[in-house]
Amino acid sequence: MRTVCFLSVSFLLCLSSYAQETFDSYFSGEQLRMDFALCGNAGEQSAALMQLREEPVWGGPRENLTDPFGYGGYMLKTYDKASGELIYSRGFNTLFEEWRTTEQAKAETQAWVNSIVMPFPHRPVTAVLLAHNRSTDNKDTLMTLDIDPSSIFIERSRLKDNPVTDIQIQGDPAGKVDLAFVAEGYTASEKDKFFADAERFTDALFATPPYDLHRKDFNVRAVFLESEDSGTDFSGKGIFRNTALNAGFYTFGTDRYLTTPDMKSIRDAVWNIPCDAVFVLVNSEVYGGGGMYNFYAIGTSGNERTIQVFVHELGHSFAGLADEYFSSETSYDDFYNLNFEPWEPNITTLVDFDRKWKDMLPAGTPVPTPPEAPYSGGLGVFEGGGYLAKGIYRPMDHCMMRDLKPFCPVCSRAIVRMIDYLSDRKVR
């Protein structure tokens, strides 16, 4: 038995050493940031590079370099130019993607600034930006870039060093999830309030299952950005504030939808710290928030339901979870194509349910599942979700992603898988 254990440990150590050698052969410990514009309307979109930046810290995985999930409306794939080998990939969402489903996008063409990061390469690479095509379910190529890491056109200047507080540091960024709270709508005199709010949110997160069992897997930092005005915009009421990240309610005309289109300023704020996930903490007592996968989540600090909204929105941005509600107002039109299986792990059209939570269903559970006893309180396949009452199904009647109740087992599994991935462990 001891011999078997010794061999198993030796094998794992060899794998870890091999993965580190693989990372070191292609990448440095720095980060490459790509700022780019997405331009288009409801019918078409294109992408254009704005700048490349070298930044001092890559905080992401060094072993899990290629995306195992396939989540997101967009994906970055990076290939070694000499060999053509895929050496990095990661999916993400953007606010522009959501805007393209609105009525406004049927009449206007707009350009939105976006930003993504990857490990900084040692030698020339080819980076390919792909976008999900809702009509075909394929990923279309939007932009292809040949990148020479020695290029004089890569920006390498220092940005502003913002005040940062380490709320908890549990280990090396490569083996931890690095979460950053970023201040929005806090004036200079409210800096201490922001840091106190960030600590309160941290404690609340790790009191929430399944995060409660994974506190040691997270490093948490709070980054203070000074705003001229306190609070945030309410454009639907004619209220505008001069704030660091230009956040506001009434996104796409929905009063509770709080976002910022200014992704570049968020990336500027965290340019010198390890960062796997961003939560923008807005100094307001009004209910609302937003979240986009592997982009950012945002919410207010002072509402009585602030903590639940925070955990819900982090579910979107961190674990790629979909909204499970179907009777609330949204500005989206036909956000999901019912002919295809959505990529989010917690909703299904039953087109390809085998790759969702079928393995978790109790024996004998009917699919779809009637919302009545003896099934209504357990795991099933209940109709309604993804903003539609018909054609999309969710795992449980109530969940954090529907009505701010505790996470269901399906959502919990998705969160734990993302923690494993970003902690450089094998994804369960």
Side-chain angles (χ1 to χ4, degrees):
M1 185 66 178
R2 289 182 180 178
T3 301
V4 171
C5 290
F6 176 77
L7 290 174
S8 298
V9 171
S10 297
F11 177 69
L12 290 173
L13 289 174
C14 287
L15 283 179
S16 179
S17 176
Y18 174 77
Q20 183 62 49
E21 288 177 6
T22 301
F23 180 90
D24 291 342
S25 66
Y26 291 116
F27 302 110
S28 69
E30 288 75 44
Q31 177 168 276
L32 179 65
R33 174 175 135 191
M34 293 179 236
D35 296 334
F36 63 99
L38 290 172
C39 179
N41 49 47
E44 61 184 9
Q45 65 176 322
S46 59
L49 180 68
M50 299 180 69
Q51 75 165 356
L52 298 175
R53 274 189 54 83
E54 181 180 0
E55 297 182 333
V57 184
W58 168 249
R62 297 194 174 205
E63 297 183 22
N64 295 334
L65 290 172
T66 55
D67 191 318
F69 303 111
Y71 296 169
Y74 299 86
M75 178 166 283
L76 175 68
K77 290 189 173 183
T78 302
Y79 300 86
D80 178 59
K81 192 167 177 58
S83 67
E85 181 183 356
L86 178 67
I87 57 175
Y88 179 80
S89 62
R90 190 80 200 276
F92 62 100
N93 278 3
T94 73
L95 195 58
F96 177 78
E97 175 187 12
E98 296 181 13
W99 175 78
R100 293 187 67 223
T101 70
T102 67
E103 283 295 319
Q104 187 183 33
K106 296 177 182 178
E108 296 181 12
T109 295
Q110 294 188 5
W112 294 53
V113 177
N114 300 270
S115 186
I116 51 177
V117 296
M118 59 168 281
F120 197 88
H122 280 311
R123 52 185 189 246
V125 298
T126 299
V128 181
L129 179 64
L130 304 167
H132 180 246
N133 187 318
R134 298 174 66 254
S135 298
T136 65
D137 203 33
N138 296 323
K139 282 190 163 61
D140 299 335
T141 299
L142 282 187
M143 181 171 63
T144 300
L145 296 172
D146 288 331
I147 301 172
D148 180 351
S150 65
S151 171
I152 63 171
F153 299 112
I154 296 177
E155 179 65 43
R156 292 177 167 87
S157 61
R158 291 183 62 83
L159 298 177
K160 181 180 179 181
D161 290 318
N162 297 296
V164 177
T165 288
D166 293 339
I167 296 176
Q168 69 167 48
I169 303 298
Q170 300 284 0
D172 189 320
K176 302 296 177 184
V177 180
D178 289 279
L179 171 63
F181 289 96
V182 179
E184 168 67 338
Y186 291 81
T187 63
S189 64
E190 294 172 313
K191 180 168 69 172
D192 290 343
K193 179 182 185 300
F194 164 68
F195 287 130
D197 286 342
E199 289 195 28
R200 175 167 55 92
F201 273 56
T202 299
D203 289 339
L205 178 66
F206 295 120
T208 304
Y211 295 101
D212 59 335
L213 300 179
H214 294 274
R215 183 160 195 157
K216 291 185 178 179
D217 291 320
F218 282 76
N219 297 329
V220 184
R221 298 171 178 86
V223 182
F224 180 72
L225 303 185
E226 180 181 331
S227 291
E228 289 295 317
D229 296 332
S230 183
T232 192
D233 292 351
F234 295 85
S235 59
K237 297 180 178 180
I239 298 172
F240 296 92
R241 306 289 189 221
N242 183 359
T243 58
L245 297 175
N246 303 306
F249 285 92
Y250 288 88
T251 302
F252 309 144
T254 301
D255 58 354
R256 72 182 185 281
Y257 196 11
L258 171 65
T259 66
T260 175
D262 194 357
M263 187 62 192
K264 183 176 180 295
S265 291
I266 296 176
R267 278 291 168 194
D268 284 350
V270 298
W271 72 281
N272 57 350
I273 63 170
C275 188
D276 295 311
V278 172
F279 189 83
V280 177
L281 193 51
V282 179
N283 188 23
S284 173
E285 296 181 355
V286 178
Y287 177 89
M292 289 141 281
Y293 173 61
N294 193 25
F295 214 53
Y296 70 83
I298 185 171
T300 58
S301 62
N303 186 267
E304 62 182 7
R305 306 194 78 184
T306 275
I307 297 303
Q308 294 97 319
V309 172
F310 158 54
V311 176
H312 171 96
E313 301 301 352
L314 198 65
H316 290 310
S317 67
F318 178 70
L321 300 176
D323 281 318
E324 295 178 10
Y325 54 80
F326 48 90
S327 58
S328 300
E329 176 197 6
T330 70
S331 299
Y332 313 134
D333 293 327
D334 302 322
F335 195 77
Y336 293 99
N337 186 331
L338 299 184
N339 295 315
F340 306 117
E341 188 66 36
W343 57 262
E344 294 93 335
N346 63 318
I347 58 172
T348 180
T349 55
L350 298 180
V351 171
D352 188 9
F353 182 54
D354 284 357
R355 65 184 175 92
K356 291 304 177 68
W357 63 93
K358 185 177 181 180
D359 63 309
M360 300 177 71
L361 290 179
T365 303
V367 178
T369 309
E372 56 196 38
Y375 307 110
S376 56
L379 195 63
V381 188
F382 300 98
E383 192 164 27
Y387 322 119
L388 293 175
K390 298 292 183 180
I392 292 183
Y393 302 82
R394 65 191 187 279
M396 286 189 73
D397 195 11
H398 299 284
C399 175
M400 180 66 69
M401 302 313 295
R402 180 189 177 189
D403 48 12
L404 306 184
K405 300 296 194 297
F407 283 114
C408 72
V410 173
C411 291
S412 294
R413 180 172 71 171
I415 290 168
V416 171
R417 283 177 166 174
M418 193 60 64
I419 292 171
D420 287 342
Y421 167 71
L422 291 170
S423 299
D424 252 346
R425 295 193 294 260
K426 182 178 179 181
V427 177
R428 289 170 268 181

